[in-house]
Amino acid sequence: MAARDGRDERSGRARGLRAAGLALAGALLLGCAAAGWAYWHLSGNITSVDIDGALGDDRPARPVAVPSASPVPTGALNLLVLGSDSRGGEENQELGGGDSGGARSDTAMVVHLDAGRTAATVVSIPRDTLVHRPSCPLPSGGTTRQASGAMFNTAYELGGPVCAVKTVESLTGVRMDHYVEIDFSGFAKLVDALGGVTVTTDVDIDDDRSHLHLDAGTHHLDGTEALGLARTRYGLQGGSDLARIELQHTLVKALLEQVSTTDLLTDPARLYQVADAATGSLTTDTGLDSLGELTELGRSLKGLAADDVRTLTMPVLPAPADPNRVVADEPDAGDLWESLR
């Protein structure tokens, strides 16, 4: 009788272990399926443009790569980052994008990552800068007309990301290794997913066009308010685009601080929310159009703190023919771009 009881006990333990094993295997399979779906979904969020294929070899040369044993990229890198004043979609229209007649590059920044990825320089190009806009290929097979004395942001409006990149490379002589664009709704969702952002302004802001009304001081902004801060212009003294850029630089530093203090790795749900917001309204070149490639870029920047990021505006002067426009201030502008090659 005792032997039978022992066999029954062992048999019960075995059934229990098998059941636990099946449950664990099921949980692992579900976890893997969920992770696979999340990866597929986030990668599918990203829209890509084949910049290299469209522009070919008629571009500034890439810097010579220095061999490195690091498992992540460490070479110098230049990215063109555009904030798109997209006029399509209900969410973008509610945030000030206007009608569905097109889109403009509302914000343009050249981001230079130093070799070693321990420092970065962000250079804003005022959208009112008068530039030589080169002829750009169009998806239809045609080309845009080149123009002298054209406003910088017309390049994107006429020829999209490809023409924006070509115009920046023509202006700077610097090869853009990657292209990143985020629209109104995507930026607002990203800030909200991060829990908002804290900024300090030195002046009162009262701008009906950007829907922002703030007293001077420190404020914790949600996504819509942060977008308003990035866009505000007419609520500033003189309605200056250069003053708006200064606010954008303040916002960039504040966002970097917010990211560094938000421990996303210990909160998978929050991490997914941030990743979904970041990729949901993102357009990149084909070299950054997957979650794996974006993650690799992010891993290479893990040692970069907000204090390691320098923010500048391309040196400009009032345009001789139009005081409401600016032109590059040479040789200072050229010297700045030379330092980023």
Side-chain angles (χ1 to χ4, degrees):
M1 192 70 174
R4 182 176 178 180
D5 289 344
R7 286 195 298 273
D8 289 345
E9 186 179 344
R10 288 193 296 272
S11 177
R13 284 200 302 268
R15 286 194 298 271
L17 288 172
R18 283 197 297 272
L22 288 172
L24 178 59
L28 288 172
L29 285 173
L30 286 173
C32 290
W37 178 87
Y39 186 94
W40 172 83
H41 173 73
L42 294 173
S43 289
N45 275 347
I46 305 167
T47 301
S48 65
V49 178
D50 187 3
I51 304 288
D52 288 342
L55 294 184
D57 296 327
D58 185 21
R59 305 178 64 186
R62 295 185 188 275
V64 178
V66 178
S68 171
S70 173
V72 295
T74 58
L77 204 65
N78 291 301
L79 303 89
L80 175 60
V81 178
L82 291 189
S84 168
D85 177 4
S86 176
R87 301 180 182 185
E90 183 178 346
E91 288 179 304
N92 282 313
Q93 290 179 36
E94 290 176 353
L95 291 168
D99 58 32
S100 58
R104 297 168 296 180
S105 54
D106 198 56
T107 300
M109 297 179 178
V110 173
V111 179
H112 174 79
L113 304 175
D114 289 359
R117 310 289 170 90
T118 58
T121 302
V122 177
V123 183
S124 292
I125 302 174
R127 68 179 186 177
D128 294 342
T129 305
L130 300 182
V131 300
H132 171 74
R133 190 183 67 226
S135 175
C136 305
L138 294 170
S140 63
T143 58
T144 65
R145 289 186 177 182
Q146 63 176 329
S148 297
M151 274 183 60
F152 170 75
N153 69 343
T154 63
Y156 179 91
E157 188 174 4
L158 293 176
V162 170
C163 200
V165 170
K166 187 166 186 178
T167 301
V168 169
E169 291 185 341
S170 173
L171 173 68
T172 67
V174 179
R175 174 73 170 245
M176 296 296 108
D177 300 292
H178 290 299
Y179 172 84
V180 177
E181 174 192 332
I182 189 166
D183 70 15
F184 276 10
S185 66
F187 178 80
K189 287 178 181 177
L190 176 59
V191 173
D192 282 337
L194 287 168
V197 61
T198 300
V199 298
T200 299
T201 66
D202 297 328
V203 296
D204 296 339
I205 298 172
D206 189 17
D207 190 346
D208 290 332
R209 298 196 188 193
S210 66
H211 312 294
L212 187 66
H213 305 277
L214 291 177
D215 294 332
T218 299
H219 304 272
H220 190 76
L221 309 181
D222 64 17
T224 301
E225 291 167 332
L227 176 63
L229 184 69
R231 295 185 59 232
T232 195
R233 174 176 181 173
Y234 297 99
L236 303 174
Q237 185 176 5
S240 168
D241 192 35
L242 299 180
R244 181 180 65 162
I245 286 173
E246 290 301 313
L247 283 179
Q248 290 173 351
H249 290 170
T250 298
L251 185 57
V252 166
K253 289 292 192 76
L255 282 171
L256 289 172
E257 290 284 359
Q258 182 68 18
V259 170
S260 67
T261 57
T262 304
D263 192 1
L264 298 175
L265 295 180
T266 62
D267 189 347
R270 181 85 171 274
L271 175 61
Y272 175 80
Q273 184 183 11
V274 170
D276 194 31
T279 58
S281 300
L282 199 66
T283 299
T284 72
D285 65 286
T286 50
L288 282 180
D289 63 354
S290 76
L291 188 62
E293 289 161 333
L294 287 171
T295 299
E296 184 178 68
L297 176 62
R299 287 176 58 210
S300 76
L301 302 177
K302 65 179 182 180
L304 190 66
D307 289 342
D308 300 321
V309 178
R310 179 175 58 146
T311 54
L312 305 169
T313 301
M314 181 183 75
V316 293
L317 293 170
D322 186 348
N324 294 315
R325 303 288 180 257
V326 296
V327 293
D329 181 8
E330 300 295 357
D332 291 347
D335 291 342
L336 172 60
W337 299 125
E338 177 66 30
S339 71
L340 305 185
R341 291 184 191 131

